[in-house]
Amino acid sequence: MADAQWSPGRRTGDADEFLPVLDIIEPTRQRRLTVLVRLLLLIPHFIVLFVLEIAAFFTVVFGWFAALVLGRLPEPVFRFLAAVLAYRTRVAASGMLLVDRYPPFTLTQPSGYPVAIDVRPTRLNRLAVFFRLILVIPAAILQSLATSGWCVLAVVWWLITLILGRMPRPLFEATAATLRYEMRVSAYLSMLTPAYPKGFFGEDALSVPQQQARSATRPLVMSTAGKVLLVLFLVLGLVSSVTTSVTRSSSDDSDYHAQG
């Protein structure tokens, strides 16, 4: 598994456009006790992430101006944003029950940890950087719907994993696909990659050459059941979004009439 590295340009064996990669080991049995109290255990990480996200926001703003001038992110900016993205992804993978091992408090890739990202610095198109917030909207909407849909039935996924002591393979695939797409959207928005987020429904087994590193999610080959779950996430996310909007509109109307 590879973490963010500073070596601008393509590497041997890379595709024409390198998409950030999420590496997760094959799903294994999990300790039911850690599954039971998973979110409580992750509270310290949520606090650390809150601080890191504030720092990352200002770093992204600085990086945006720098990328417009240089056509790339400065090395320190790239390294910090990639490290925050990797940290956030490790915590999210634990919170979404993809792995059982507790994430360490470090911005460097822990040796042997079952979750890692591979994001590589390359030249950036200045025009795409300038319009990044507009360009990312379609991908951000898709990511938001999928994540919201997963959260709607989060208690169900938690109960399944708690009872079985593991996450069923189709659920693992759909959850990993959701997390990977979220990671790719964040990487694109943070200008860590010029590659537009794609591969939401996975890819075929031949997309990664045999000589390259492989994992359960590199490539992420989705079963039919996994794809059905992803569609379910999107539908639930859409229903949740519409319901929230209607409820908020009704509440605003009620407040308006009450004031009138």
Side-chain angles (χ1 to χ4, degrees):
M1 298 183 186
D3 202 359
Q5 303 175 35
W6 183 257
S7 54
R10 291 179 56 193
R11 302 180 193 175
T12 302
D14 278 357
D16 292 336
E17 184 181 61
F18 182 82
L19 278 168
V21 176
L22 171 64
D23 279 315
I24 303 178
I25 63 169
E26 290 287 341
T28 59
R29 294 200 65 80
Q30 300 194 37
R31 294 165 294 175
R32 290 182 173 85
L33 180 59
T34 63
V35 172
L36 179 66
V37 294
R38 184 63 53 89
L39 291 182
L40 291 176
L41 293 174
L42 290 176
I43 288 177
H45 280 290
F46 296 150
I47 296 173
V48 173
L49 266 176
F50 177 76
V51 177
L52 286 175
E53 295 292 1
I54 294 175
F57 171 79
F58 290 104
T59 305
V60 167
V61 173
F62 172 79
W64 183 80
F65 286 103
L68 284 178
V69 175
L70 302 175
R72 61 175 176 81
L73 284 181
E75 178 179 357
V77 172
F78 174 87
R79 286 190 178 278
F80 176 71
L81 292 178
V84 172
L85 177 62
Y87 186 97
R88 182 194 308 135
T89 303
R90 290 193 294 270
V91 173
S94 178
M96 296 176 82
L97 305 175
L98 287 168
V99 295
D100 188 51
R101 185 172 166 186
Y102 194 72
F105 292 90
T106 177
L107 286 178
T108 59
Q109 175 60 34
S111 177
Y113 192 75
V115 179
I117 68 169
D118 188 356
V119 54
R120 303 176 184 177
T122 58
R123 301 289 301 179
L124 300 172
N125 183 300
R126 290 179 175 86
L127 188 61
V129 169
F130 186 79
F131 290 105
R132 188 59 52 106
L133 285 177
I134 297 175
L135 293 173
V136 79
I137 289 176
I141 291 174
L142 179 62
Q143 176 261 311
S144 177
L145 291 178
T147 303
S148 297
W150 188 94
C151 291
V152 167
L153 293 181
V155 174
V156 175
W157 315 140
W158 174 74
L159 283 174
I160 291 174
T161 307
L162 182 65
I163 293 171
L164 298 179
R166 61 181 178 82
M167 180 172 278
R169 181 71 194 197
L171 180 57
F172 171 86
E173 293 170 359
T175 303
T178 301
L179 178 59
R180 185 179 70 164
Y181 197 78
E182 181 179 348
M183 182 271 293
R184 287 178 172 175
V185 171
S186 295
Y188 182 75
L189 185 59
S190 302
M191 294 160 295
L192 290 169
T193 176
Y196 198 79
K198 56 176 70 74
F200 180 71
F201 285 99
E203 51 268 327
D204 61 64
L206 299 178
S207 61
V208 177
Q210 289 295 331
Q211 67 272 19
Q212 289 191 9
R214 302 170 76 89
S215 68
T217 52
R218 187 204 298 236
L220 180 55
V221 181
M222 301 283 295
S223 63
T224 300
K227 292 179 180 179
V228 169
L229 279 174
L230 274 180
V231 173
L232 176 63
F233 293 171
L234 293 175
V235 172
L236 290 174
L238 181 60
V239 171
S240 176
S241 177
V242 171
T243 302
T244 301
S245 298
V246 171
T247 302
R248 184 180 297 118
S249 177
S250 299
S251 177
D252 290 342
D253 289 342
S254 298
D255 292 342
Y256 175 79
H257 289 306
Q259 292 175 1

